[in-house]
């Protein structure tokens, strides 16, 4: 195995190691969001949309420096998605020839990069659809992880009788909680299309669409290392056939430095060892020619028109101005507009969620909110003692909180639907919501001689245990809405909760009377603020 393949394998294994150890204490030393924070395209887009988080992308300086020194070497040696596409193309023995529609439009990747940046300027992020590191992270979270857990669960079922017979109870009683996500089919469709492209033509995604590769290719035009061809070249064309990204032109001495991965496949294929990689000033002037595509004036106009229409469409979308009332964001999420600007839609928060209540959004927050995390509290509650989502968020869209601060990061308020409640509607005895509530926010009161449940809004954190456990089939008789949520860009959730009159410590009976705010004349109900 040569050096390139060894490095590709090591970085792919490192990517999955970071991902799958995210819920463990290993993440304290190996942050699972490292690849995302090292992504210069994500850095540029997020800084354009929310300039306050530039410092979290300091690791991206390494890739920018790498681009200035070695062009797209990251794509050839490090990118985990590129490695997967390479493996697929090798197994499928994919053709490396250039499709005619790319030959006619060599500046297509530059146009897509321009579209991503223009949309970011207009407040619309396309990272979720085109950034390779975001795409692979989310696909691993929503597809690969559930697949592996499901396979592990099936294997456990197979060995359980045998383990029980051997009295290996540690194995016979073992179980796995398989995460289940909405939009899995859409994830599979999008990632499947990318893989299928590359099975048809090797690295087709990288050469025709990847905006991160285009950004590194732009830097690569000034790189320290470049492909050089000596005068001993035989014009045999072996290097052209070996190149996986079509970086070598009709003249084998021509090289598109914006495309070249510095993978050295051309050097390995050359029968006379005429190819080397040296600083451009040291390469034979007659044998090394730049052949990088440039965006034409017509292409610029097309990118501007498409970007303007896309950006304006999102800005006038009603979902952005008025998110759904059931759109519950994870605890610690910053205010909604800033949240949409910062969120990469990478799915890391979904993968580490203890109860897997965090799900990808579809239309709940409009066009710009697709893939952003939301809580499906009918599926599972938000665990009171879990703050993992904020700890792994690469951009601070979900703030990292201590357990005390997380407890006071109110995410919504439960509302009783009396027409669906067994107690209110059918006079049946049901105490589920009262018994399961970890904040003691459900209280029974006498109404016309019968005990009826009520929600104490000042104690409700919006965790959703009541909605999840409600025995009513279909829609729960008690649902959590955004009313009263606390979303802060900075400052203490604990102080804000107390300022609004919320009490989340202890039970209702244990709460000292002094802590209960006494309403004054003109005060608003808990959770409401004056405009």
């Amino acid at each position: 195995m040569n050096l390139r393949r060894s490095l590709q394998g090591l970085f792919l294994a490192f990517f999955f190691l970071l991902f799958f150890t995210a819920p463990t204490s290993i993440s304290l030393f190996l942050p699972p969001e490292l690849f995302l924070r090292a992504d210069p395209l994500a850095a540029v887009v997020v800084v354009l949309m929310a300039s306050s988080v530039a410092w979290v992308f300091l690791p991206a300086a390494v890739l920018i420096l790498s681009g200035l020194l070695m062009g797209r070497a990251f794509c050839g040696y490090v990118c985990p998605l590129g490695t997967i596409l390479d493996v697929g193309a090798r197994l499928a023995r994919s053709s490396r020839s250039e499709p005619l529609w790319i030959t006619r439009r060599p500046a297509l990747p530059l146009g897509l990069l321009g579209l991503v940046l223009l949309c970011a300027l207009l407040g619309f992020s396309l990272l979720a659809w085109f950034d390779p590191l975001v795409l692979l992270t989310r696909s691993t979270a929503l597809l690969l992880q559930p697949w592996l857990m499901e396979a592990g669960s099936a294997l456990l079922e197979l060995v359980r009788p045998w383990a029980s017979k051997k009295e290996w109870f540690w194995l016979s009683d073992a179980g796995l909680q398989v995460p289940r996500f909405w939009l899995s089919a859409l994830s599979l469709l999008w990632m499947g299309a990318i893989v299928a492209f590359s099975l048809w033509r090797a690295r087709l995604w990288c050469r025709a669409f990847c905006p991160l590769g285009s950004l590194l290719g732009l830097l690569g035009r000034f790189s320290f290392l470049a492909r050089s061809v000596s005068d001993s070249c035989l014009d045999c064309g072996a290097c052209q056939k070996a190149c996986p990204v079509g970086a070598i032109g009709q003249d084998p001495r021509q090289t598109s430095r914006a495309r070249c991965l510095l993978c050295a496949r051309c050097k390995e294929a050359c029968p006379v060892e005429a190819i080397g990689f040296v600083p451009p000033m040291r390469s034979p002037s007659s044998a090394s020619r730049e052949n990088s595509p440039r965006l034409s004036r017509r292409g610029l106009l097309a990118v501007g028109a498409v970007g303007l229409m896309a950006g304006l469409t999102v800005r006038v979308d009603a979902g952005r101005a008025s998110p759904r009332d059931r759109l519950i964001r994870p605890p610690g999420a910053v205010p909604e507009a800033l949240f949409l600007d910062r969120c990469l839609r990478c799915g890391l928060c979904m993968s580490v969620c203890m109860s897997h209540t965090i799900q990808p959004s579809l239309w709940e927050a409009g066009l710009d909110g697709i893939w952003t995390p939301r809580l499906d509290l009918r599926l599972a509650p938000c665990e009171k003692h879990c703050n993992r989502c904020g700890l792994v968020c690469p951009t601070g869209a979900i703030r990292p909180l201590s357990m005390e601060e997380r407890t006071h990061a109110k995410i919504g308020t439960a509302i009783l639907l009396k027409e669906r409640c067994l107690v209110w509607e059918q006079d049946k005895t049901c105490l589920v919501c009262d018994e399961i509530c970890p904040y003691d926010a459900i209280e029974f009161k006498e109404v016309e001689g019968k005990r009826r449940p009520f929600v104490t809004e000042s104690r409700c954190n919006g965790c959703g245990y009541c909605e999840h456990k409600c025995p009513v089939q279909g829609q729960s008789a008690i649902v959590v809405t955004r009313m009263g949520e606390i979303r802060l860009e900075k400052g203490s959730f604990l102080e804000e909760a107390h300022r609004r009159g919320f009490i989340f410590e202890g039970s209702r009976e244990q709460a000292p009377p002094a802590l209960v705010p006494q309403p004054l004349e003109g005060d608003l109900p808990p959770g409401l603020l004056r405009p």
Side-chain angles (χ1 to χ4, degrees):
M1 183 178 289
N2 61 26
L3 176 64
R4 175 179 52 78
R5 289 178 186 168
S6 301
L7 288 175
Q8 283 186 296
L10 283 175
F11 280 111
L12 181 63
F14 186 53
F15 173 83
F16 285 125
L17 174 69
L18 294 181
F19 182 89
F20 286 109
T21 57
T24 70
S25 56
I26 297 176
S27 62
L28 296 175
F29 310 100
L30 298 174
E33 70 277 15
L34 181 60
F35 273 84
L36 295 168
R37 288 191 173 183
D39 184 341
L41 179 65
V44 173
V45 169
V46 174
V47 168
L48 284 176
M49 297 177 69
S51 57
S52 58
V53 293
W55 62 271
V56 304
F57 287 106
L58 281 179
V62 176
L63 253 68
I64 293 173
L65 185 62
S66 157
L68 290 171
L69 292 176
M70 297 179 289
R72 292 185 65 174
F74 169 83
C75 308
Y77 292 82
V78 180
C79 179
L81 181 58
T83 302
I84 291 173
L85 298 182
D86 268 350
V87 171
R90 187 177 179 81
L91 293 176
R93 298 183 178 179
S94 308
S95 169
R96 292 175 177 174
S97 62
E98 188 94 326
L100 188 60
W101 55 275
I102 295 183
T103 307
R104 291 177 176 173
R105 301 173 185 81
L108 180 62
L110 278 179
L112 193 54
L113 173 62
L115 183 65
V116 170
L117 297 180
L118 180 58
C119 285
L121 277 173
L122 294 171
F124 176 36
S125 174
L126 287 174
L127 291 176
W129 301 94
F130 295 107
D131 188 289
L133 297 177
V134 172
L135 275 169
L136 184 60
T137 304
R138 192 180 63 233
S139 298
T140 306
L142 303 190
L143 294 174
L144 182 59
Q145 185 184 25
W147 288 349
L148 293 176
M149 297 290 279
E150 185 68 28
S153 184
L155 184 62
L156 275 177
E157 290 302 321
L158 281 177
V159 301
R160 201 182 302 281
W162 176 77
S164 180
K165 194 175 179 180
K166 292 283 186 182
E167 296 186 354
W168 290 357
F169 300 117
W170 60 271
L171 182 59
S172 63
D173 295 340
L176 291 174
Q177 184 187 7
V178 181
R180 305 181 191 284
F181 295 104
W182 296 101
L183 301 187
S184 295
L186 183 58
S187 300
L188 181 61
L189 188 65
W190 192 252
M191 182 53 78
I194 292 172
V195 174
F197 276 149
S198 293
L199 293 180
W200 175 48
R201 288 287 194 281
R203 289 267 192 165
L204 184 56
W205 165 264
C206 306
R207 67 173 92 176
F209 300 107
C210 181
L212 175 58
S214 297
L215 180 61
L216 294 174
L218 277 178
L219 298 175
R221 296 185 181 192
F222 315 99
S223 65
F224 180 73
L225 285 180
R227 178 175 174 269
S228 169
V229 183
S230 70
D231 293 335
S232 59
C233 175
L234 302 176
D235 291 335
C236 64
C239 56
Q240 295 162 325
K241 294 177 183 175
C243 181
V245 291
I248 303 172
Q250 292 296 323
D251 181 352
R253 296 168 185 79
Q254 288 185 332
T255 307
S256 170
R257 291 166 64 184
R259 278 193 179 187
C260 181
L261 307 184
L262 275 72
C263 62
R265 287 184 175 93
C266 54
K267 184 178 179 181
E268 295 167 6
C270 181
V272 294
E273 299 183 356
I275 299 173
F277 291 89
V278 297
M281 65 287 291
R282 292 179 53 190
S283 92
S285 57
S286 60
S288 177
R289 302 170 194 166
E290 170 67 11
N291 187 32
S292 295
R294 298 181 185 280
L295 203 57
S296 65
R297 191 182 307 169
R298 183 175 296 180
L300 276 174
L301 287 174
V303 168
V306 173
L308 197 59
M309 284 190 290
L312 291 178
T313 301
V314 170
R315 292 184 73 85
V316 301
D317 182 56
R320 186 180 177 95
S322 178
R324 295 285 185 270
D325 196 36
R326 298 294 313 282
L327 180 66
I328 308 297
R329 297 298 191 188
V334 297
E336 184 66 15
L338 187 60
F339 179 83
L340 291 175
D341 289 345
R342 286 187 182 181
C343 180
L344 296 182
R345 288 81 166 160
C346 63
L348 262 182
C349 55
M350 303 172 203
S351 72
V352 299
C353 178
M354 187 179 289
S355 62
H356 300 298
T357 183
I358 303 181
Q359 297 285 319
S361 303
L362 186 56
W363 304 114
E364 292 85 351
L367 287 171
D368 199 19
I370 298 177
W371 300 115
T372 55
R374 67 177 176 86
L375 269 60
D376 186 337
L377 297 172
R378 187 55 166 160
L379 184 67
C382 182
E383 292 288 344
K384 183 179 181 181
H385 303 292
C386 175
N387 60 351
R388 292 176 180 174
C389 51
L391 298 180
V392 300
C393 181
T395 61
I398 306 171
R399 290 175 54 188
L401 301 177
S402 66
M403 290 308 305
E404 186 178 23
E405 284 287 316
R406 179 258 173 271
T407 300
H408 290 81
K410 180 179 170 73
I411 56 177
T413 305
I415 294 178
L416 260 168
L417 305 177
K418 295 179 180 176
E419 68 277 11
R420 297 185 63 81
C421 178
L422 298 176
V423 181
W424 278 97
E425 186 67 18
Q426 301 180 20
D427 282 336
K428 291 185 177 178
T429 302
C430 179
L431 300 170
V432 172
C433 56
D434 184 23
E435 292 179 340
I436 200 67
C437 179
Y439 296 94
D440 199 14
I442 305 295
E443 184 179 9
F444 275 75
K445 298 178 182 177
E446 291 281 343
V447 178
E448 298 177 350
K450 297 179 180 177
R451 289 174 59 79
R452 304 296 192 198
F454 290 86
V455 177
T456 306
E457 296 178 1
S458 61
R459 299 194 63 85
C460 179
N461 178 276
C463 66
Y465 268 95
C466 51
E467 181 175 345
H468 173 59
K469 292 293 184 180
C470 178
V472 175
Q473 290 187 341
Q475 184 188 6
S476 173
I478 183 167
V479 296
V480 177
T481 67
R482 298 172 56 216
M483 183 179 69
E485 65 177 356
I486 301 179
R487 307 275 292 270
L488 300 176
E489 181 184 359
K490 55 186 177 181
S492 168
F493 283 89
L494 189 152
E495 292 175 3
E496 180 67 14
H498 284 177
R499 189 178 74 81
R500 298 194 194 182
F502 296 127
I503 303 169
F504 301 127
E505 303 94 342
S507 63
R508 189 183 298 108
E509 291 76 14
Q510 292 171 340
L515 292 179
V516 180
Q518 299 301 316
L520 302 174
E521 187 177 355
D523 271 1
L524 292 173
L528 300 180
L529 295 175
R530 295 189 183 282

